[in-house]
Amino acid sequence: MSSPIKVLLAEDQSMVREALAALLGLEDDIEVVAQVARGDEVQAAVGAHGVDVALLDIEMPGCTGIEAAARVRREFPQVKLVVLTTFGRPGYLRSAMEAGADAFLVKDAPAAQLAAAVRKVLAGERVIDPTLAAAALAEGANPLTDREREILRAAADGSTNAELAAALHLSQGTVRNYLSTAIQKLAVRNRTEAVRMAREKGWL
Amino acid sequence: MSSPIKVLLAEDQSMVREALAALLGLEDDIEVVAQVARGDEVQAAVGAHGVDVALLDIEMPGCTGIEAAARVRREFPQVKLVVLTTFGRPGYLRSAMEAGADAFLVKDAPAAQLAAAVRKVLAGERVIDPTLAAAALAEGANPLTDREREILRAAADGSTNAELAAALHLSQGTVRNYLSTAIQKLAVRNRTEAVRMAREKGWL
DNA sequence: GCACCCGCATGACATCTGTCATACGGCACT
DNA sequence: AGTGCCGTATGACAGATGTCATGCGGGTGC
């Protein structure tokens, strides 16, 4: 074996992050050289430590792991990217792949797959749960327009049409039209269900 | 040192669970003797392994860690209970304490606190984040009645009044009345905000 | 150039939601 | 026995929400 694989860990919950570090630390050929708790610190840390593989959680403050992946891919194209997430949402998988991820793992997969994925991506392989890949292909692409997504996201907290209109500088009628088309595209019956559905699919 | 502290780990995401096990495994005086992925498997596992400390995540299939804690407390009063959660919701802390938990940790606390908490509860101490304890005391108890909570929970997925009425065998007007009083108690302006607020407080 | 989609807007209409007053039986506490 | 809260219910009303038709300007693709 030559020098160990240098890994960066990005995950906002300290306890989980450090636990994953402990797990990877058990492997002789892997060394966790950096840990960050925010998406917007990933890029700098990758640059500073000569990282081979970046392990990115999706849900993080600062920016999402997917956004972070895209940035690293642009600036350091040789760095391998593993996206790790709690939720196996097909839409997440799709965006992760579009951002240039080499592997996509869900946190309820067995722990052994983590180290295995690190080694595989370094060998040039891609690692994706086949079930999830099938689901992502089956459900097709996100049918929502940018505006519809924006409004759904803003409506998620229970804001009224009037508040949405004010926040997004739109007329109230326009807000209602967008919500209405989103509701139809998602085949649901009101904004609450629309938000739930979009979240579930990873389209939000 | 006598024999190591026997710990049970209950957490549904395998990767996180096994990572936490790796973390605790680094400690000489702690041994993870059992791992379960469901709340309803905790009780049996505690009985089968002569566990000293049970480490319970709240969000789990089967039953919640809090419910599991209450059951273990009833059947095995000498077992120490550490509740571990992603969300530092004051209402969760309150219910965990009422269920008989000895410690309450949030996952974004430093990893070192985990092993420390295990040792402390075994020594008879209680471990609670002081900030969270203050918040729990400041906000008072859950103001919602059983029925209100039940209806809020059912309304969370975007069901209409008619559906709620059918599901809960109530008249539509009654559903609206309950939602209305819940909305007022939570000082919000519609059901969506009410659900969000109740979730945030850990009252749902 | 012409279709087509997107973003934006208005107005009208039907339905859903939230509020309020009021009522009754049951239970708990005084 | 009286007071008060909870669960349940009804009816009426105002305001929010969802749908539909229609319109306009800008961009993209053929």
Side-chain angles (χ1 to χ4, degrees), chain B residues 116-132:
Chain B
V118 168
R119 293 185 192 107
K120 283 184 185 167
V121 296
L122 207 68
E125 284 182 64
R126 298 203 136 194
V127 183
I128 297 158
D129 182 322
T131 315
L132 208 56

PDB file of all heavy atoms in Angstrom, chain B residues 116-132:
ATOM      1  N   ALA B 116     -18.852  10.488  27.556  1.00  0.00           N
ATOM      2  CA  ALA B 116     -18.919  11.160  28.853  1.00  0.00           C
ATOM      3  C   ALA B 116     -20.289  10.970  29.490  1.00  0.00           C
ATOM      4  O   ALA B 116     -20.404  10.681  30.694  1.00  0.00           O
ATOM      5  CB  ALA B 116     -18.614  12.642  28.675  1.00  0.00           C
ATOM      6  N   ALA B 117     -21.337  11.092  28.676  1.00  0.00           N
ATOM      7  CA  ALA B 117     -22.697  10.947  29.196  1.00  0.00           C
ATOM      8  C   ALA B 117     -22.932   9.524  29.686  1.00  0.00           C
ATOM      9  O   ALA B 117     -23.559   9.310  30.729  1.00  0.00           O
ATOM     10  CB  ALA B 117     -23.708  11.320  28.116  1.00  0.00           C
ATOM     11  N   VAL B 118     -22.428   8.559  28.939  1.00  0.00           N
ATOM     12  CA  VAL B 118     -22.585   7.161  29.331  1.00  0.00           C
ATOM     13  C   VAL B 118     -21.989   6.950  30.730  1.00  0.00           C
ATOM     14  O   VAL B 118     -22.621   6.344  31.601  1.00  0.00           O
ATOM     15  CB  VAL B 118     -21.908   6.221  28.310  1.00  0.00           C
ATOM     16  CG1 VAL B 118     -21.811   4.806  28.864  1.00  0.00           C
ATOM     17  CG2 VAL B 118     -22.686   6.228  26.994  1.00  0.00           C
ATOM     18  N   ARG B 119     -20.785   7.497  30.936  1.00  0.00           N
ATOM     19  CA  ARG B 119     -20.142   7.316  32.247  1.00  0.00           C
ATOM     20  C   ARG B 119     -20.893   8.053  33.341  1.00  0.00           C
ATOM     21  O   ARG B 119     -21.062   7.554  34.445  1.00  0.00           O
ATOM     22  CB  ARG B 119     -18.700   7.819  32.190  1.00  0.00           C
ATOM     23  CG  ARG B 119     -17.835   6.961  31.290  1.00  0.00           C
ATOM     24  CD  ARG B 119     -16.378   7.370  31.315  1.00  0.00           C
ATOM     25  NE  ARG B 119     -15.685   6.689  30.234  1.00  0.00           N
ATOM     26  CZ  ARG B 119     -15.268   7.287  29.117  1.00  0.00           C
ATOM     27  NH1 ARG B 119     -15.442   8.593  28.956  1.00  0.00           N
ATOM     28  NH2 ARG B 119     -14.690   6.577  28.172  1.00  0.00           N
ATOM     29  N   LYS B 120     -21.347   9.241  33.019  1.00  0.00           N
ATOM     30  CA  LYS B 120     -22.030  10.041  34.038  1.00  0.00           C
ATOM     31  C   LYS B 120     -23.344   9.421  34.498  1.00  0.00           C
ATOM     32  O   LYS B 120     -23.631   9.389  35.684  1.00  0.00           O
ATOM     33  CB  LYS B 120     -22.291  11.460  33.512  1.00  0.00           C
ATOM     34  CG  LYS B 120     -21.041  12.336  33.527  1.00  0.00           C
ATOM     35  CD  LYS B 120     -21.366  13.759  33.080  1.00  0.00           C
ATOM     36  CE  LYS B 120     -20.099  14.601  32.979  1.00  0.00           C
ATOM     37  NZ  LYS B 120     -20.348  15.872  32.272  1.00  0.00           N
ATOM     38  N   VAL B 121     -24.157   8.963  33.545  1.00  0.00           N
ATOM     39  CA  VAL B 121     -25.437   8.384  33.961  1.00  0.00           C
ATOM     40  C   VAL B 121     -25.211   7.140  34.810  1.00  0.00           C
ATOM     41  O   VAL B 121     -25.948   6.888  35.765  1.00  0.00           O
ATOM     42  CB  VAL B 121     -26.371   8.047  32.777  1.00  0.00           C
ATOM     43  CG1 VAL B 121     -26.786   9.297  32.040  1.00  0.00           C
ATOM     44  CG2 VAL B 121     -25.756   7.027  31.845  1.00  0.00           C
ATOM     45  N   LEU B 122     -24.145   6.406  34.474  1.00  0.00           N
ATOM     46  CA  LEU B 122     -23.850   5.211  35.255  1.00  0.00           C
ATOM     47  C   LEU B 122     -23.444   5.585  36.684  1.00  0.00           C
ATOM     48  O   LEU B 122     -23.668   4.829  37.629  1.00  0.00           O
ATOM     49  CB  LEU B 122     -22.738   4.398  34.585  1.00  0.00           C
ATOM     50  CG  LEU B 122     -22.806   2.910  34.910  1.00  0.00           C
ATOM     51  CD1 LEU B 122     -24.031   2.291  34.274  1.00  0.00           C
ATOM     52  CD2 LEU B 122     -21.551   2.201  34.455  1.00  0.00           C
ATOM     53  N   ALA B 123     -22.881   6.768  36.805  1.00  0.00           N
ATOM     54  CA  ALA B 123     -22.480   7.242  38.135  1.00  0.00           C
ATOM     55  C   ALA B 123     -23.650   7.912  38.852  1.00  0.00           C
ATOM     56  O   ALA B 123     -23.481   8.486  39.927  1.00  0.00           O
ATOM     57  CB  ALA B 123     -21.304   8.198  38.007  1.00  0.00           C
ATOM     58  N   GLY B 124     -24.826   7.858  38.237  1.00  0.00           N
ATOM     59  CA  GLY B 124     -25.994   8.411  38.895  1.00  0.00           C
ATOM     60  C   GLY B 124     -26.299   9.863  38.541  1.00  0.00           C
ATOM     61  O   GLY B 124     -27.271  10.429  39.021  1.00  0.00           O
ATOM     62  N   GLU B 125     -25.475  10.449  37.689  1.00  0.00           N
ATOM     63  CA  GLU B 125     -25.732  11.843  37.299  1.00  0.00           C
ATOM     64  C   GLU B 125     -26.782  11.913  36.199  1.00  0.00           C
ATOM     65  O   GLU B 125     -27.044  10.946  35.496  1.00  0.00           O
ATOM     66  CB  GLU B 125     -24.434  12.489  36.769  1.00  0.00           C
ATOM     67  CG  GLU B 125     -23.438  12.860  37.833  1.00  0.00           C
ATOM     68  CD  GLU B 125     -22.207  13.530  37.208  1.00  0.00           C
ATOM     69  OE1 GLU B 125     -22.368  14.625  36.627  1.00  0.00           O
ATOM     70  OE2 GLU B 125     -21.117  12.944  37.274  1.00  0.00           O
ATOM     71  N   ARG B 126     -27.311  13.134  36.038  1.00  0.00           N
ATOM     72  CA  ARG B 126     -28.195  13.382  34.890  1.00  0.00           C
ATOM     73  C   ARG B 126     -27.483  14.346  33.960  1.00  0.00           C
ATOM     74  O   ARG B 126     -26.781  15.243  34.431  1.00  0.00           O
ATOM     75  CB  ARG B 126     -29.507  14.005  35.350  1.00  0.00           C
ATOM     76  CG  ARG B 126     -30.290  13.092  36.271  1.00  0.00           C
ATOM     77  CD  ARG B 126     -31.747  13.469  36.249  1.00  0.00           C
ATOM     78  NE  ARG B 126     -32.549  12.268  36.160  1.00  0.00           N
ATOM     79  CZ  ARG B 126     -33.846  12.277  35.851  1.00  0.00           C
ATOM     80  NH1 ARG B 126     -34.457  13.412  35.572  1.00  0.00           N
ATOM     81  NH2 ARG B 126     -34.518  11.154  35.791  1.00  0.00           N
ATOM     82  N   VAL B 127     -27.659  14.147  32.646  1.00  0.00           N
ATOM     83  CA  VAL B 127     -26.951  14.992  31.686  1.00  0.00           C
ATOM     84  C   VAL B 127     -27.946  15.670  30.754  1.00  0.00           C
ATOM     85  O   VAL B 127     -28.649  15.020  29.988  1.00  0.00           O
ATOM     86  CB  VAL B 127     -25.969  14.148  30.839  1.00  0.00           C
ATOM     87  CG1 VAL B 127     -25.190  15.048  29.892  1.00  0.00           C
ATOM     88  CG2 VAL B 127     -25.029  13.358  31.741  1.00  0.00           C
ATOM     89  N   ILE B 128     -28.015  16.987  30.886  1.00  0.00           N
ATOM     90  CA  ILE B 128     -28.945  17.753  30.063  1.00  0.00           C
ATOM     91  C   ILE B 128     -28.293  19.057  29.654  1.00  0.00           C
ATOM     92  O   ILE B 128     -27.700  19.743  30.483  1.00  0.00           O
ATOM     93  CB  ILE B 128     -30.227  18.083  30.852  1.00  0.00           C
ATOM     94  CG1 ILE B 128     -30.950  16.790  31.236  1.00  0.00           C
ATOM     95  CG2 ILE B 128     -31.147  18.965  30.040  1.00  0.00           C
ATOM     96  CD1 ILE B 128     -31.864  16.978  32.410  1.00  0.00           C
ATOM     97  N   ASP B 129     -28.425  19.405  28.406  1.00  0.00           N
ATOM     98  CA  ASP B 129     -27.912  20.679  27.928  1.00  0.00           C
ATOM     99  C   ASP B 129     -28.654  21.793  28.671  1.00  0.00           C
ATOM    100  O   ASP B 129     -29.888  21.863  28.626  1.00  0.00           O
ATOM    101  CB  ASP B 129     -28.177  20.777  26.427  1.00  0.00           C
ATOM    102  CG  ASP B 129     -27.640  22.060  25.826  1.00  0.00           C
ATOM    103  OD1 ASP B 129     -27.721  23.112  26.478  1.00  0.00           O
ATOM    104  OD2 ASP B 129     -27.156  22.004  24.699  1.00  0.00           O
ATOM    105  N   PRO B 130     -27.913  22.680  29.362  1.00  0.00           N
ATOM    106  CA  PRO B 130     -28.566  23.692  30.184  1.00  0.00           C
ATOM    107  C   PRO B 130     -29.414  24.665  29.357  1.00  0.00           C
ATOM    108  O   PRO B 130     -30.493  25.078  29.788  1.00  0.00           O
ATOM    109  CB  PRO B 130     -27.392  24.443  30.828  1.00  0.00           C
ATOM    110  CG  PRO B 130     -26.174  23.650  30.563  1.00  0.00           C
ATOM    111  CD  PRO B 130     -26.450  22.755  29.412  1.00  0.00           C
ATOM    112  N   THR B 131     -28.940  25.000  28.161  1.00  0.00           N
ATOM    113  CA  THR B 131     -29.693  25.906  27.285  1.00  0.00           C
ATOM    114  C   THR B 131     -31.055  25.310  26.951  1.00  0.00           C
ATOM    115  O   THR B 131     -32.088  25.974  27.000  1.00  0.00           O
ATOM    116  CB  THR B 131     -28.930  26.117  25.966  1.00  0.00           C
ATOM    117  OG1 THR B 131     -27.568  26.354  26.252  1.00  0.00           O
ATOM    118  CG2 THR B 131     -29.508  27.290  25.207  1.00  0.00           C
ATOM    119  N   LEU B 132     -31.016  24.030  26.614  1.00  0.00           N
ATOM    120  CA  LEU B 132     -32.231  23.344  26.223  1.00  0.00           C
ATOM    121  C   LEU B 132     -33.173  23.215  27.415  1.00  0.00           C
ATOM    122  O   LEU B 132     -34.385  23.390  27.288  1.00  0.00           O
ATOM    123  CB  LEU B 132     -31.854  21.953  25.711  1.00  0.00           C
ATOM    124  CG  LEU B 132     -32.787  21.352  24.684  1.00  0.00           C
ATOM    125  CD1 LEU B 132     -32.917  22.292  23.510  1.00  0.00           C
ATOM    126  CD2 LEU B 132     -32.254  20.013  24.230  1.00  0.00           C
TER     127      LEU B 132
END
